[in-house]
């Protein structure tokens, strides 16, 4: 009999204050044209992988082929180091050349990415599992952040692969010859998640997962829902039925363009490394790779500056000015000036959760008002000196039409605090028109080091000023004021997950004029057209449980401003919402952890 969670399970995160398991920095020999330092100690027995054109991907990229000895031992060694290193400095990418692999179980810990190196997931088949579970945290998966799987075919040993994750853990371009279980062993709590461009032949069981977004995929079935399950462009998705079951289903995704990925050109995996750039799709449905080679184009690695930790921001900017793209190998990059992307069609691609830290209050990265920039696969970590903005896509006042070739921001994650003190007034600003923000988690930390109402002060999460911006898979949490502010016209969001800041000391600290609290998602008063599907906001005011939050969502009452399937939840009665959106919707009740919902607005 299928397992379903009790209806009154309080999925409140029990955030533990975890000690950072920092890895020891080691030096690596300088290579022509590349940076010279590795960010963290590598498991024994690794060798830098030499690229065909010279240079290397650094000691924290492990490249396997089917003849590589002791693959399981190497995977296990990385996992032992990373399993509970939530705020550690280790960063790893596990890359598998095309071919078949047998009897493997790749367990993924923090800051670990696993990926195939074919053009199609079916080029690289693991007869085994890629596993995320929660043994390190007592069966609670709500802190299983920052790990990813991409571009692989799996034949799970048991018939079902386990992927028990929370935020910032994308599952992209995967082909599962079986089912997928999104909950930890024993069905403990879980708080994910995101799937895109994947085919799951069997059933997906979310079980205790609070929320999930699946985009442009094909699935064999979907078992249950807790609060908010959203699908767009998914073959086999359950029918629209919000709020019972809580399924929001769109037949297609309005605009999408899959994340760039590294692959090996040529038969047998012995060719050169290239980066594939998938083409834009409109009204997309299903996977991009089902009929052979996906649509798009590719670039040789000679068109990239292959960066390693220790490189200066000036050197990265010099490479960009010379017309190169950036491939950020795993590790931590300290910046004393912003990375400036001024050329159309530039690619900035991170491997293994490469992490950018602005040290002196600067922005980490700024994009000009140009076409077709692709930002993907990296983490921005606020520094101890307050940054006005951490990531800026387009300058203020950007106005060019990028509809034919938009900027994409994919698996780009932002963190303020947790790994140490950090501050930023605004985390991410989108000024460029037609930008697609496809899966982000923008997080003011609620646990870890350097955490406190003023210690990791961060007033605003995501601010959208550009027109015609689309967000697919928007996770934004715990900001001191507004989590999302949307001022551009014709904006669209498909799936939104939010928790208000846990640590507000009292009602006065979040008072917003005459309004109790700041909305999680606010559409500007003068906006005339905006639409959202499947948006949820939760409160857990654990310092002062008497705090009242007036609403989760705020929007003008205009014919062109529309929302579908909204919910607010008080987690265990720690704080309450008076309404869902504006003055509409029932208040959350007592300690029952039952959502208050609105199916359509207005």
């Amino acid at each position: 009999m299928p397992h379903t969670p009790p209806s009154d399970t309080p999925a409140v995160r029990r955030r533990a204050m975890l000690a950072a398991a920092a890895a020891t920095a080691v030096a690596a020999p300088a290579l022509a044209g590349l940076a010279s330092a590795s960010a963290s100690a590598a498991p024994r027995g690794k060798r830098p992988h030499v690229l065909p054109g010279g240079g290397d991907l650094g000691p924290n990229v492990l490249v396997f082929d089917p003849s590589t000895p002791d693959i399981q031992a190497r995977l296990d060694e990385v996992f032992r180091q990373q399993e509970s290193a939530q705020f550690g400095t280790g960063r790893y990418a596990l890359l598998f050349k095309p071919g078949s692999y047998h009897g493997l179980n790749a367990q993924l810990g923090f800051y670990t990415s696993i990926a195939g190196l074919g053009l199609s997931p079916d080029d690289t088949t693991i007869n085994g599992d890629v596993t995320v579970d929660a043994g390190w945290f007592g069966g609670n998966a709500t802190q299983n952040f920052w790990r990813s799987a991409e571009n692989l075919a799996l034949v799970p040993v048991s018939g079902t692969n386990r992927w028990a994750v929370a935020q910032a853990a994308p599952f992209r371009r995967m082909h599962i010859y079986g089912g997928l279980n999104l909950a930890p062993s024993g069905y403990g709590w879980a708080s994910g998640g995101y799937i895109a461009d994947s085919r799951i032949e069997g059933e997906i069981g979310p079980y205790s997962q609070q929320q999930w977004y699946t985009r442009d995929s094909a699935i064999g079935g979907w078992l249950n829902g807790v609060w908010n399950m959203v699908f767009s462009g998914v073959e086999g998705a359950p029918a629209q039925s919000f709020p019972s079951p809580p399924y929001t289903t769109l037949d297609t995704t309005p605009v999408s363009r899959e994340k760039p990925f590294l692959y090996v050109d040529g038969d047998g995996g012995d060719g050169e490394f290239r980066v594939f750039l998938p083409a834009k799709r409109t009204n997309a449905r299903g996977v991009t790779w089902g009929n052979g080679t996906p649509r798009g184009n590719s670039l040789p690695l000679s068109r990239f500056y292959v960066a390693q930790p220790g490189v200066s921001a000036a050197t990265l900017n010099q490479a960009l000015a010379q017309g190169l793209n950036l491939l950020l190998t795993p590790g931590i990059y300290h910046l004393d000036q912003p990375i400036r992307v001024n050329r159309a069609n530039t690619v900035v691609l991170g491997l293994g959760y490469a992490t950018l830290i602005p040290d002196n209050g600067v922005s980490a990265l700024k994009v000009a008002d140009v076409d077709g920039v692709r930002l993907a696969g990296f983490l921005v970590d606020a520094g101890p000196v307050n940054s006005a903005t951490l990531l800026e896509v387009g300058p203020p006042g950007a106005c060019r039409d990028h509809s034919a070739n938009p900027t994409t921001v994919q698996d780009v994650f932002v963190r303020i605090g947790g790994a140490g003190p950090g501050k930023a007034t605004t985390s991410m600003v989108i000024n460029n028109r037609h930008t697609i923000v496809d899966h982000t988690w923008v997080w003011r930390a609620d646990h870890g080091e350097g955490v406190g109402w003023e210690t990791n002060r961060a007033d605003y999460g995501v601010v959208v000023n550009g027109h015609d911006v689309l967000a697919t898979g928007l996770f934004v949490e715990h900001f001191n004021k507004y989590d999302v502010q949307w001022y551009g016209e014709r904006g669209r969001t498909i799936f939104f997950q939010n928790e208000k800041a846990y640590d507000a000391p009292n009602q006065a600290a979040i008072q917003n004029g005459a309004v109790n609290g700041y909305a999680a998602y606010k559409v500007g008063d003068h906006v005339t057209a905006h639409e959202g599907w499947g948006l949820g906001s939760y409160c857990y005011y654990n310092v002062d449980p008497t705090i009242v939050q007036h609403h989760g969502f705020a929007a003008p009452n205009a014919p062109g401003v529309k929302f579908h399937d909204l919910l607010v939840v008080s987690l265990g009665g720690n704080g309450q919402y008076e309404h869902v959106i504006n003055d509409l919707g029932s208040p959350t009740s007592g300690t029952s952890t039952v959502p208050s919902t609105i199916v359509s607005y207005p």
Side-chain angles (χ1 to χ4, degrees), residues 38 64 70 91 131 169 209 249 254 268 292 295 323 357 361 376 384 429 447 494 525 555 558 563 566 587 589:
S38 167
F64 304 105
D70 301 322
R91 304 286 188 272
T131 302
Q209 279 287 353
T249 302
R295 290 175 51 240
I357 302 178
V429 177
H447 64 280
I494 304 172
D525 294 340
F563 286 97
L566 300 174
S589 56

Side-chain angles (χ1 to χ4, degrees), residues 12-335:
V12 176
R13 298 184 186 167
R14 295 174 177 171
R15 306 291 201 189
M17 300 292 286
L18 301 176
T24 304
V26 298
L31 297 165
L34 301 182
S36 62
S38 167
S40 58
R44 296 185 308 276
K46 283 198 294 183
R47 295 291 183 269
H49 182 74
V50 178
L51 300 174
D56 73 64
L57 294 178
N60 288 4
V61 175
L62 284 71
V63 180
F64 304 105
D65 63 53
S67 67
T68 303
D70 301 322
I71 295 176
Q72 187 65 57
R74 297 187 183 190
L75 298 176
D76 291 345
E77 193 168 0
V78 173
F79 178 64
R80 282 193 297 270
Q81 178 176 310
Q82 298 301 114
E83 179 184 12
S84 59
Q86 182 172 181
F87 298 115
T89 57
R91 304 286 188 272
Y92 290 94
L94 313 174
L95 306 181
F96 286 76
K97 288 186 175 183
S100 294
Y101 300 79
H102 299 275
L104 297 181
N105 180 19
Q107 301 181 80
L108 299 188
F110 287 97
Y111 314 108
T112 304
S113 298
I114 188 170
L117 289 172
L119 267 179
S120 164
D122 286 325
D123 292 341
T124 310
T125 300
I126 292 179
N127 293 278
D129 296 86
V130 172
T131 302
V132 178
D133 211 334
W136 75 279
F137 199 42
N140 179 350
T142 60
Q143 293 182 27
N144 279 352
F145 313 137
W146 304 305
R147 62 202 76 196
S148 67
E150 183 174 357
N151 205 28
L152 292 166
L154 300 180
V155 183
V157 171
S158 68
T160 300
N161 190 76
R162 186 181 303 280
W163 186 255
V165 298
Q167 289 82 356
F171 199 78
R172 290 183 181 269
R173 294 177 55 80
M174 296 289 287
H175 191 180
I176 311 301
Y177 289 90
L180 189 62
N181 184 337
L182 304 179
S185 300
Y187 302 102
W189 299 334
S191 181
Y194 176 91
I195 293 172
D197 201 22
S198 295
R199 180 178 295 277
I200 316 299
E201 301 290 349
E203 184 176 60
I204 298 178
Y207 300 106
S208 56
Q209 279 287 353
Q210 297 167 185
Q211 65 278 317
W212 200 275
Y213 176 49
T214 306
R215 178 182 63 73
D216 298 351
S217 295
I219 63 176
W222 190 272
L223 180 60
N224 72 294
V226 176
W227 292 336
N228 192 30
M229 305 287 157
V230 180
F231 310 83
S232 67
V234 178
E235 298 169 357
Q240 169 72 33
S241 59
F242 187 90
S244 183
Y247 300 149
T248 298
T249 302
L250 289 73
D251 286 341
T252 62
T253 303
V255 186
S256 64
R257 189 172 68 188
E258 299 303 329
K259 174 181 172 287
F261 61 91
L262 193 66
Y263 76 103
V264 177
D265 193 21
D267 295 333
D270 292 326
E272 67 171 353
F273 276 87
R274 299 180 69 90
V275 173
F276 192 82
L277 307 176
K280 189 187 78 168
R281 296 199 291 171
T282 56
N283 298 317
R285 182 174 174 84
V287 300
T288 63
W289 45 269
N291 296 312
T293 303
R295 290 175 51 240
N297 64 293
S298 70
L299 297 173
L301 221 55
S302 60
R303 297 279 301 277
F304 285 78
Y305 179 82
V306 182
Q308 293 190 19
V311 67
S312 69
T315 298
L316 295 175
N317 283 329
Q318 182 182 9
L320 290 168
Q322 291 173 350
L324 294 175
N325 304 287
L326 298 182
L327 183 69
L328 305 173
T329 64
I332 295 175
Y333 297 74
H334 288 272
L335 308 173

Side-chain angles (χ1 to χ4, degrees), residues 499-525:
E499 286 179 348
K500 295 302 299 174
Y502 291 178
D503 55 343
N506 48 51
Q507 187 76 49
I510 63 163
Q511 200 65 25
N512 182 14
V515 178
N516 289 330
Y518 291 82
Y521 188 110
K522 176 178 172 58
V523 180
D525 294 340

